[in-house]
Amino acid sequence: MPGASFVTHLQAAIDGTVLPARTIQTTHQSRPLWVRYDLDAVSRAVTRADLPDRPPTLWRYRELLPVDDDSCIVSLGEGMTPLIDCPRLASSLGIDRLLIKDESQLPTGSFKSRGMAVAVSMAKQLGIQRVAVPTAGNAGGALAAYAARAGMECWVFMPADTPEVNKAESRLFGAHTFQVDGLITDCARVVQLGRERMGWFDMSTLKEPYRIEGKKTMGLELAEQMNWSLPGVILYPTGGGTGLIGMWKAFAELGAIGWLESDRRPRMFACQSSTCAPIPDAFDAGLRFAHPPDNPRTIASGLRVPNAVGDFMILDAVRESGGRAMAADEHRLLEWMRLVCETEGIALCPESAACIGVLERALRDGTIAASETAVVFNTGAAQKYTELIRTDLPTLDPDHLDFDALAGS
Amino acid sequence: MPGASFVTHLQAAIDGTVLPARTIQTTHQSRPLWVRYDLDAVSRAVTRADLPDRPPTLWRYRELLPVDDDSCIVSLGEGMTPLIDCPRLASSLGIDRLLIKDESQLPTGSFKSRGMAVAVSMAKQLGIQRVAVPTAGNAGGALAAYAARAGMECWVFMPADTPEVNKAESRLFGAHTFQVDGLITDCARVVQLGRERMGWFDMSTLKEPYRIEGKKTMGLELAEQMNWSLPGVILYPTGGGTGLIGMWKAFAELGAIGWLESDRRPRMFACQSSTCAPIPDAFDAGLRFAHPPDNPRTIASGLRVPNAVGDFMILDAVRESGGRAMAADEHRLLEWMRLVCETEGIALCPESAACIGVLERALRDGTIAASETAVVFNTGAAQKYTELIRTDLPTLDPDHLDFDALAGS
């Protein structure tokens, strides 16, 4: 594997402005940057046949990742999460084939590890020593873990109603962890205001260029796991949307290097909750930029993102793909979560429950056909959301057991 | 891959009695059974070179697993957890090389998934439809998930002080979940008493023959990941001890099929807590069977096992290997947990913290040399133990930020 990456430059997503790589970059006109590669050189350097001999981590796609110096790779063994065929769930929803890519089986139990592994590796390469992030929960835990692994100082700011497990993990990894009175946008304001005074590098979603590259590996893995034939439909729980944006970029890059079996791309479905649905609202209104909802709230903490800085990138990808942005009924999220947990044994998070709701609706109204193959991303472990699950178990006295009562329970 | 396994028979660990496979078996003289294979046939059927082309799950070792019928495999994509080099932790402990095999990156966030994947697959093959288990926490969550995936009815019994996350996950996967006034031994009694009346198959540790086979894959993976040269020392947190027993069996089988680079085997260290240390006590006393401690308690819920039914199998393996059973100071478990989390970003569970304590002591007293390569198993995600971590975070008002105070925090 090369010691230097195939990155040629960075490019502003909003207007195409070219910016140099290999120096600290953040945003352009407050909007995200794309990482661009010499894809011809990539296609000469590596083939699909090289992959099986590489370890099952996201670094097997080394040539499509931005790190120049191997010694800067900060890894906890992330990647190659299973793609699980769910025949019983498919049958209960009325679709021929449904697969769940289970991102709960990553370091810190969420997909955030992918973005942070690559972003922290690049931060290390660029000499950054102090990182900060606003978070709905899982991003903070993941950054705290990778910063610890890299020996970097880490600051994490989360709304007070963030799940307890996220509070615990961020602190456990040694991050300076605070709760903020307000929403994730208020947490983002803290990071922004403190950047200069505190010497923080802002690791917010899409405010540095490399988390997209890490999240992109969800698409690379999906393609490899499906033998380079992509599914008809992808349903993705969309908070900041980095994963959806990243996967769409991955498919374009895989097409350019000639690894895909056909030109057909999946239709991308951006899934949100009915009580915080800026992307579906903008999609339906034919807008390229989203408006923050008045009273954004949902039990799916990762979907509680009123202002996505990459809104236009999400909407562009969804439209290019022929997909759709849709909201699932907030009041049924727990029901869909339970359905998947009880039917397939997969610890589906409430964010991904929105995908099940959207799938159910889309199958009903014909937006998705029963004959299509659908992939749902489970972006985190349900176990991280203990607040949503009753734990007041019935108690047994082992010296006075009543099996008749048990049998009826 | 074959449709039938290479299993020849089962064998009682206590006296070598041969029992038939392919029929429901539990124990012999209330002690565990080994699964035996035609290892010559295995060595003819598969080579090390076949592995890279197989998916990164424990089913890549199909020929060394007991399932006869592929359609009975109940899988959530478990296996091939990363083996993470920890140079900073090694340096702080004073050993040349330390690796952590991170079992938190499995379905339900713990190593219990390995055993349950294989045990539930075998239960399915044998026509079992209703399973029950006493649990310190993670085994119940894992069984609940695999039973859900298999469409089996599941009953889980846990002590009242089991971590909240375990209570939540077991219920979430649809298991009939109860807390029992008492210890895990009282939970075991409930399962035993209810077997006939309730039609439960007892999935307790080592009371059916196949969880060992699933846990064995930790050893198979370790060997493959180290290019078939085993480490000098393995430190393993020992509750029921299935993993230690299973790994020792795996090394013997790998030796027999000629896959190992040398005859040297790791020294196995069974690690417990000072306040619940039946195995170290028996080891020091030269006994083959352990005595339950008077007042077994530890914050490491998975180590709260006063009576291990496989005690002699653990002690035999430790002694054969030239290793040792040792206890770590209960009062420092949280400190070691934090050390690993903060130094390497790995979410070490309190059980595995005992391994760090034992390693520290063994390096100090010369039982382990600094020049040896040591592998520690992180058997579960620290995030599942929220009770052990303070989550009362300091609160910031975003409209009245005091960065001077923050900088000093």
Side-chain angles (χ1 to χ4, degrees):
Chain A
M1 295 203 201
S5 77
F6 292 91
V7 173
T8 52
H9 61 280
L10 306 179
Q11 189 172 28
I14 196 72
D15 66 1
T17 299
V18 169
L19 294 164
R22 300 182 177 82
T23 182
I24 294 176
Q25 298 281 8
T26 56
T27 55
H28 179 76
Q29 292 179 12
S30 302
R31 293 290 190 171
L33 305 181
W34 296 115
V35 179
R36 299 299 185 195
Y37 298 82
D38 180 347
L39 294 172
D40 284 340
V42 169
S43 70
R44 287 190 302 270
V46 59
T47 70
R48 299 183 330 191
D50 293 324
L51 299 179
D53 288 323
R54 298 182 178 181
T57 73
L58 60 80
W59 300 100
R60 66 203 273 114
Y61 310 108
R62 181 76 181 78
E63 289 83 357
L64 286 169
L65 291 172
V67 181
D68 291 298
D69 178 354
D70 279 354
S71 74
C72 290
I73 289 176
V74 180
S75 176
L76 294 166
E78 53 288 328
M80 285 310 267
T81 57
L83 181 65
I84 305 174
D85 221 323
C86 297
R88 298 200 307 138
L89 180 63
S91 154
S92 86
L93 291 169
I95 188 168
D96 291 351
R97 191 160 184 229
L98 174 59
L99 302 117
I100 294 183
K101 190 150 168 70
D102 188 11
E103 298 284 295
S104 77
Q105 296 181 44
L106 284 167
T108 73
S110 96
F111 72 144
K112 296 287 181 181
S113 288
R114 294 184 187 271
M116 292 307 182
V118 175
V120 169
S121 296
M122 287 305 292
K124 183 173 174 187
Q125 179 175 305
L126 293 165
I128 291 163
Q129 293 176 326
R130 189 179 289 180
V131 291
V133 78
T135 179
N138 283 325
L143 179 59
Y146 284 92
R149 177 87 172 143
M152 277 178 204
E153 192 178 306
C154 181
W155 294 71
V156 173
F157 302 92
M158 47 182 72
D161 58 354
T162 299
E164 288 295 297
V165 176
N166 293 127
K167 292 180 182 175
E169 69 182 343
S170 181
R171 176 166 268 191
L172 191 60
F173 291 123
H176 301 266
T177 309
F178 298 88
Q179 58 187 28
V180 173
D181 278 334
L183 294 172
I184 191 172
T185 39
D186 298 295
C187 299
R189 197 149 49 91
V190 174
V191 172
Q192 204 166 2
L193 289 170
R195 271 192 312 220
E196 202 164 324
R197 168 70 179 81
M198 302 293 288
W200 293 333
F201 182 73
D202 185 350
M203 295 288 266
S204 300
T205 306
L206 296 172
K207 291 196 180 164
E208 62 75 59
Y210 304 108
R211 280 173 67 183
I212 297 183
E213 298 305 293
K215 289 281 189 74
K216 168 177 99 176
T217 62
M218 288 191 285
L220 302 177
E221 287 182 14
L222 181 65
E224 183 181 353
Q225 289 170 320
M226 299 193 78
N227 296 314
W228 312 104
S229 289
L230 298 169
V233 168
I234 289 177
L235 297 118
Y236 189 80
T238 306
T242 319
L244 190 148
I245 293 166
M247 279 195 278
W248 193 242
K249 182 172 189 281
F251 300 148
E253 291 174 356
L254 288 175
I257 63 173
W259 285 18
L260 295 178
E261 290 294 316
S262 91
D263 287 338
R264 199 178 53 81
R265 300 280 180 272
R267 292 193 296 143
M268 306 296 286
F269 282 73
C271 305
Q272 297 194 321
S273 158
S274 54
T275 50
C276 183
I279 302 295
D281 289 350
F283 183 89
D284 290 340
L287 302 173
R288 195 178 181 218
F289 298 95
H291 295 295
D294 282 339
N295 180 20
R297 62 193 166 75
T298 157
I299 59 163
S301 48
L303 298 183
R304 223 179 283 151
V305 182
N307 285 299
V309 65
D311 51 359
F312 65 107
M313 299 158 87
I314 301 168
L315 287 157
D316 286 356
V318 167
R319 287 183 177 121
E320 273 174 51
S321 76
R324 201 169 145 189
M326 292 172 73
D329 183 352
E330 171 72 15
H331 302 100
R332 293 184 60 200
L333 291 183
L334 273 177
E335 176 191 329
W336 290 308
M337 196 174 159
R338 271 194 222 106
L339 172 71
V340 176
C341 290
E342 292 182 9
T343 313
E344 298 289 358
I346 297 170
L348 197 87
C349 64
E351 291 81 5
S352 297
C355 300
I356 304 297
V358 165
L359 179 56
E360 189 182 281
R361 213 181 107 200
L363 284 165
R364 199 171 48 227
D365 73 13
T367 308
I368 295 176
S371 60
E372 292 185 277
T373 294
V375 172
V376 164
F377 279 77
N378 180 31
T379 50
Q383 287 90 342
K384 298 185 88 171
Y385 302 80
T386 39
E387 289 85 351
L388 303 183
I389 311 155
R390 283 182 53 196
T391 55
D392 53 331
L393 302 178
T395 303
L396 300 181
D397 176 348
D399 296 320
H400 299 89
L401 292 170
D402 179 352
F403 285 113
D404 291 326
L406 263 194
S409 73
Chain B
M1 295 203 202
S5 77
F6 292 89
V7 173
T8 52
H9 61 280
L10 306 180
Q11 189 170 29
I14 197 72
D15 66 0
T17 300
V18 169
L19 295 164
R22 299 181 178 84
T23 182
I24 294 177
Q25 298 281 7
T26 56
T27 54
H28 179 76
Q29 293 179 11
S30 302
R31 293 292 190 169
L33 305 181
W34 296 115
V35 179
R36 299 300 184 194
Y37 299 82
D38 180 346
L39 294 172
D40 284 340
V42 170
S43 71
R44 287 190 301 271
V46 59
T47 70
R48 298 184 331 192
D50 293 325
L51 299 179
D53 288 324
R54 298 182 179 181
T57 73
L58 59 80
W59 300 99
R60 68 203 273 116
Y61 309 108
R62 181 76 181 79
E63 290 82 358
L64 287 170
L65 291 172
V67 182
D68 291 297
D69 178 354
D70 279 354
S71 74
C72 290
I73 290 177
V74 180
S75 175
L76 294 165
E78 53 289 328
M80 284 310 269
T81 57
L83 181 65
I84 305 175
D85 220 322
C86 297
R88 299 198 309 137
L89 179 64
S91 155
S92 86
L93 291 168
I95 188 166
D96 291 351
R97 190 159 185 229
L98 175 59
L99 301 117
I100 294 182
K101 190 151 169 70
D102 188 11
E103 299 283 297
S104 76
Q105 296 181 44
L106 284 168
T108 72
S110 96
F111 72 143
K112 295 288 181 182
S113 288
R114 293 184 189 272
M116 292 305 182
V118 175
V120 170
S121 296
M122 287 304 292
K124 183 173 174 185
Q125 179 176 306
L126 293 165
I128 290 163
Q129 292 177 325
R130 190 178 288 178
V131 291
V133 77
T135 178
N138 282 326
L143 179 59
Y146 284 93
R149 177 88 171 142
M152 275 177 205
E153 192 178 306
C154 181
W155 295 70
V156 174
F157 302 91
M158 47 180 75
D161 58 354
T162 299
E164 288 294 299
V165 176
N166 294 127
K167 293 180 183 175
E169 68 182 343
S170 182
R171 174 166 269 190
L172 191 60
F173 292 122
H176 300 266
T177 309
F178 298 87
Q179 58 187 30
V180 173
D181 277 334
L183 294 171
I184 190 172
T185 38
D186 298 296
C187 300
R189 197 150 48 93
V190 174
V191 172
Q192 205 166 1
L193 290 170
R195 271 191 312 219
E196 203 163 323
R197 168 71 178 81
M198 303 293 288
W200 293 333
F201 182 73
D202 186 349
M203 294 289 265
S204 300
T205 306
L206 296 172
K207 291 195 182 164
E208 61 75 58
Y210 304 108
R211 279 174 66 185
I212 298 182
E213 297 305 292
K215 288 280 188 72
K216 169 177 99 176
T217 62
M218 288 191 286
L220 301 177
E221 288 181 14
L222 181 66
E224 184 181 353
Q225 289 170 319
M226 298 193 80
N227 296 313
W228 312 104
S229 289
L230 298 169
V233 169
I234 289 177
L235 298 119
Y236 188 79
T238 306
T242 319
L244 190 147
I245 292 166
M247 279 195 278
W248 193 242
K249 181 172 190 280
F251 300 148
E253 291 175 354
L254 288 175
I257 63 173
W259 286 17
L260 295 178
E261 291 294 315
S262 91
D263 287 337
R264 199 178 53 80
R265 301 280 180 274
R267 292 193 296 143
M268 306 296 286
F269 283 73
C271 306
Q272 296 194 323
S273 157
S274 53
T275 50
C276 183
I279 302 296
D281 289 349
F283 183 89
D284 290 340
L287 301 173
R288 195 179 181 217
F289 298 95
H291 295 295
D294 282 338
N295 181 20
R297 59 191 170 77
T298 158
I299 58 163
S301 47
L303 299 182
R304 225 179 281 151
V305 181
N307 285 300
V309 66
D311 51 359
F312 65 107
M313 299 159 87
I314 301 168
L315 286 157
D316 286 355
V318 166
R319 288 185 176 119
E320 272 174 52
S321 77
R324 202 170 146 189
M326 292 173 74
D329 183 353
E330 171 72 16
H331 302 100
R332 291 184 61 200
L333 291 183
L334 273 177
E335 176 192 328
W336 290 309
M337 196 174 160
R338 271 194 221 106
L339 172 71
V340 175
C341 290
E342 292 181 9
T343 313
E344 298 290 356
I346 297 170
L348 197 86
C349 63
E351 291 82 3
S352 296
C355 299
I356 304 297
V358 165
L359 179 56
E360 190 182 281
R361 213 182 106 199
L363 284 165
R364 198 172 50 228
D365 73 12
T367 309
I368 295 175
S371 59
E372 292 185 277
T373 294
V375 173
V376 165
F377 279 77
N378 180 33
T379 50
Q383 286 91 341
K384 298 185 87 170
Y385 302 79
T386 40
E387 289 86 352
L388 302 182
I389 312 155
R390 283 184 51 197
T391 55
D392 53 331
L393 302 178
T395 303
L396 300 181
D397 175 349
D399 296 320
H400 298 89
L401 292 170
D402 178 351
F403 286 112
D404 290 327
L406 264 195
S409 75

